[in-house]
Amino acid sequence: MLEKYLNEVKELLTLVEKEEGQKMKNAARALAECIQNNGIVHVFGCGHSHMLGEELFYRAGGLAPIKPIFVEDLMLHKGAVRSSLMEKQNDLAGSFMENADIRPGDVVIAASTSGRNPVPIDVAEISKESGAFVIGITSPRYANTQSSRHKNGKYLYSSVDLTIDNHIEPGDALMEHSALGIRFGSASSIIGFAIVNSLMAEAVEVMIANGFEPPIFKSGNVDGAEQHNRELVKKYKSRIPLLEG
């Protein structure tokens, strides 16, 4: 089963590369343009999807102007069932997005595999209204097998400027066993991490090609990194207060 799971993940990664490659390159160009023009890349997700923001933020080898939109009530550690119920609430996003400081020229990455719940949809809509370019990481196939929970019948894929399909099947479970009546073995987080890290790597290449030095954090566990990282924090802390805490 271990080998089967890993093979399924490899096949999914290959599928995403083949089917989403051009859209990912387009997204990376938008990211590069944003950063070159002193914009900020905001990342949002509920539940497990919020980990995409964690993955990119203040990351060794990662780009500095990344701002996760963390809402603790929508994360699992404040109560798993409660957070899931809150994600389904219409108009909740407005209560925290008013302080998100989304500006024209920024990029927002909104992640939701099912794409049917109101909060990530509203985050995308509010971000677009604020002038940001919005990238959605979601599964349109998953969404289209389920009714929308949004009051206006929207899905995430229809509320963003550019959709990257993570190709996750409805239910987000790769595996099955003859002794069980339920599928298991999720993959949305692994595929999501691969997508966002691929976007950042491609954006770095675009910036280099444009003659712009990408603002990349060095590992804090490597000698000589402290001053380099301090300068990046100084540059971006006014728009990303989380860098200093």
Side-chain angles (χ1 to χ4, degrees):
M1 194 61 71
L2 182 152
E3 292 82 4
K4 180 173 174 56
Y5 176 81
L6 292 175
N7 283 329
E8 291 285 346
V9 169
K10 292 174 188 175
E11 289 181 9
L12 257 179
L13 288 169
T14 299
L15 179 63
V16 168
E17 179 183 11
K18 177 183 177 183
E19 299 294 331
E20 309 303 312
Q22 188 56 57
K23 286 187 286 184
M24 290 170 68
K25 288 185 177 183
N26 293 342
R29 283 195 289 270
L31 292 168
E33 181 179 358
C34 166
I35 293 170
Q36 289 174 202
N37 291 318
N38 295 313
I40 298 295
V41 178
H42 309 258
V43 187
F44 177 79
C46 300
H48 290 94
S49 292
H50 100 272
M51 293 191 296
L52 298 189
E54 295 268 14
E55 171 69 11
L56 296 178
F57 178 58
Y58 196 58
R59 182 77 183 199
L63 290 162
I66 305 294
K67 182 183 179 184
I69 302 174
F70 288 151
V71 182
E72 288 195 71
D73 286 336
L74 293 168
M75 300 178 191
L76 303 177
H77 70 276
K78 291 294 288 286
V81 173
R82 178 173 175 270
S83 69
S84 183
L85 290 173
M86 292 187 72
E87 183 184 3
K88 300 176 177 68
Q89 292 184 22
N90 280 281
D91 302 317
L92 176 66
S95 66
F96 60 84
M97 286 299 288
E98 62 183 2
N99 297 317
D101 189 24
I102 310 293
R103 303 181 188 180
D106 286 353
V107 171
V108 174
I109 299 174
S112 170
T113 293
S114 74
R116 65 186 299 216
N117 290 317
V119 170
I121 294 169
D122 286 342
V123 165
E125 296 276 346
I126 292 169
S127 299
K128 287 173 66 175
E129 291 169 4
S130 300
F133 183 82
V134 183
I135 299 166
I137 299 177
T138 186
S139 172
R141 177 175 177 179
Y142 193 146
N144 289 330
T145 66
Q146 309 296 320
S147 61
S148 171
R149 293 186 173 121
H150 193 274
K151 63 183 181 182
N152 295 323
K154 296 180 178 180
Y155 294 95
L156 183 59
Y157 73 82
S158 62
S159 300
V160 300
D161 295 299
L162 188 155
T163 297
I164 298 174
D165 189 345
N166 61 13
H167 292 269
I168 298 296
E169 294 290 324
D172 190 12
L174 291 176
M175 312 300 291
E176 57 186 356
H177 193 286
S178 58
L180 289 177
I182 186 169
R183 294 177 66 86
F184 57 100
S186 64
S188 59
S189 296
I190 293 173
I191 302 303
F193 289 156
I195 288 172
V196 295
N197 280 298
S198 297
L199 294 182
M200 298 305 154
E202 181 73 12
V204 165
E205 183 177 47
V206 172
M207 283 183 269
I208 292 171
N210 291 340
F212 182 87
E213 183 177 352
I216 298 171
F217 281 121
K218 294 181 179 180
S219 171
N221 297 311
V222 173
D223 290 342
E226 186 175 348
Q227 181 59 34
H228 172 87
N229 290 346
R230 187 182 297 120
E231 290 299 317
L232 288 177
V233 169
K234 181 179 179 181
K235 179 177 180 179
Y236 291 109
K237 67 180 181 180
S238 65
R239 292 211 59 200
I240 311 176
L242 281 171
L243 284 171
E244 287 199 310

